[in-house]
Amino acid sequence: MKIQTPVYYGDYLQLPKILSAQAPESTKYGKTAHDETLFIIIHQAYELWFKQILHELNSVREIMQQPFVPSTDLSVIIARIERVTTIQQLLIDQIQVMETMTSLDFMEFRDYLVPASGFQSIQFKLIEAILGIKSQHRMEVEKQFFNSRLKAEDKKLLEAEEAKISIFELLEAWLERMPFSQFEDFDFWGEYSQAVDKMLKQDREIISNNPVLDDRTRTMELKNLDMTQNTFNTLLDSSLYTAWQGEGKVRLSQKAMLSAVFIYLYRDYPALQMPFRILNALVEVDEKFTTWRYRHAIMVQRILGTKIGTGGSSGHEYLRSTTERNRAFIDFFNLATFLIPKSMIPTLPQNIKDQLDIVYDSFRS
């Protein structure tokens, strides 16, 4: 390839445009507030990283929209999701830079920003939508802010994104297509149910025979064990599981959930290692955004106290309330509920092991 035109560093990165994009509002009112430049640059950096996250997630969605996802594409998905989590760590770490600004420093220019708010970051809302957090999954207070704080063009952009299939929905369909948890000649879930019963029976005996526990504590722990039994029963009973979904306790379909449990139980087999890494990476995406929201909420409390946000929200209280709520892959966080000790995991028949393993010895009997 012959290079036609020499490229200059500053021109390639459009540095004149980027470095002249900081225009403090306080300057319009007299004296420029020193820390407003920091405030602007931090949020501009956030938006640039949001753009890169969207770039990665859109590519993941495009790959997962294929009717069949080749194993070679799974490694691409993993690499791009892991890049997202690395960027997220930068977002978290950047809060430390913001925290070098004191409450008094912020108050020098805060009132000039009304009603602008980080809540109006359309790119972050697009990230949430592509992951699978849509309007119906939000708190009522968030929906109200959506309608009143976004520009019309941003609102249309978000509505268009929410109309598209999300990574959560594609992941659910991908898990539903997996054949690993249903076998013609092997009742895996029957074996699993027996293993669960054995595990819970052992737990019940330990609680019942523990001389340290008083009657009240023993009764409470046995009641908790009954609840655990009901949870396992719900996983395996389609009608109970459907009721669970109706109550909003789980989003993932039963078929997809069963595949995910199977992947987690047998993740050491080569055929399941990449699917497990994908699920685990998406859990980390949720975890890091939750951490970022929490750190952001604490920072806001530290700088603003209980004052309302510039966008009219309740500030710290609003941010804190969304920290736990807005997680696309909470069902995968909860998969640990359905795991059992390795020693109790059902032994798979040899023909199924061979499907999940890499078999080099063609003469093995």
Side-chain angles (χ1 to χ4, degrees), residues 22-168:
Q22 295 75 44
E25 282 292 306
S26 57
T27 304
K28 300 176 183 179
Y29 299 90
K31 184 180 178 182
T32 301
H34 177 81
D35 280 22
E36 190 175 359
T37 300
L38 172 71
F39 189 81
I40 293 170
I41 288 174
I42 283 177
H43 286 84
Q44 287 176 335
Y46 273 137
E47 292 297 331
L48 284 171
W49 283 126
F50 290 163
K51 182 175 182 178
Q52 185 64 38
I53 290 174
L54 282 169
H55 181 62
E56 303 299 340
L57 293 180
N58 273 306
S59 71
V60 168
R61 175 166 59 183
E62 186 176 340
I63 293 170
M64 294 193 71
Q65 281 182 303
Q66 300 174 94
F68 170 73
V69 183
S71 59
T72 50
D73 283 351
L74 296 184
S75 62
V76 176
I77 291 172
I78 292 166
R80 291 178 182 171
I81 296 174
E82 288 181 346
R83 179 180 290 165
V84 168
T85 60
T86 302
I87 292 170
Q88 287 177 294
Q89 189 59 50
L90 289 176
L91 303 182
I92 295 167
D93 292 342
Q94 197 166 282
I95 290 175
Q96 289 181 283
V97 182
M98 182 81 89
E99 286 178 334
T100 64
M101 180 177 63
T102 68
S103 300
L104 294 178
D105 294 329
F106 185 45
M107 289 173 68
E108 285 297 300
F109 62 90
R110 176 181 182 264
D111 289 347
Y112 301 138
L113 307 184
V114 177
S117 168
F119 178 83
Q120 295 166 328
S121 171
I122 185 60
Q123 286 199 116
F124 186 68
K125 298 306 176 191
L126 293 176
I127 290 170
E128 290 184 319
I130 193 173
L131 288 173
I133 303 169
K134 301 188 178 183
S135 295
Q136 64 266 33
H137 306 123
R138 299 185 183 279
M139 298 182 299
E140 285 303 317
V141 65
E142 281 190 276
K143 295 176 185 177
Q144 294 170 19
F145 273 115
F146 266 50
N147 294 329
S148 61
R149 296 296 189 270
L150 293 179
K151 287 184 176 180
E153 57 265 35
D154 284 346
K155 199 181 299 183
K156 286 182 181 179
L157 192 62
L158 184 58
E159 288 172 354
E161 183 59 56
E162 290 195 345
K164 297 178 184 177
I165 194 165
S166 69
I167 289 175
F168 174 88

Side-chain angles (χ1 to χ4, degrees), residues 7-19 48:
V7 177
Y8 185 66
Y9 176 81
D11 294 338
Y12 175 65
L13 297 178
Q14 299 189 53
L15 291 182
K17 185 187 297 184
I18 293 172
L19 297 179
L48 284 171

Side-chain angles (χ1 to χ4, degrees), residues 153-205:
E153 57 265 35
D154 284 346
K155 199 181 299 183
K156 286 182 181 179
L157 192 62
L158 184 58
E159 288 172 354
E161 183 59 56
E162 290 195 345
K164 297 178 184 177
I165 194 165
S166 69
I167 289 175
F168 174 88
E169 292 165 312
L170 288 167
L171 188 70
E172 181 179 55
W174 178 63
L175 288 169
E176 288 176 347
R177 295 197 301 269
M178 286 189 172
F180 297 130
S181 63
Q182 300 292 335
F183 306 101
E184 289 184 7
D185 302 322
F186 178 60
D187 181 14
F188 169 74
W189 293 109
E191 297 281 337
Y192 170 82
S193 182
Q194 289 180 29
V196 169
D197 289 342
K198 181 180 177 181
M199 177 187 71
L200 295 179
K201 183 180 178 181
Q202 288 183 2
D203 290 346
R204 191 173 297 278
E205 288 175 356

Side-chain angles (χ1 to χ4, degrees), residues 16 120 158 174 210 225 254 303 326 350:
Q120 295 166 328
L158 184 58
W174 178 63
N210 189 340
L225 196 63
Q254 185 191 27
I303 293 177
N326 291 347
Q350 191 60 53

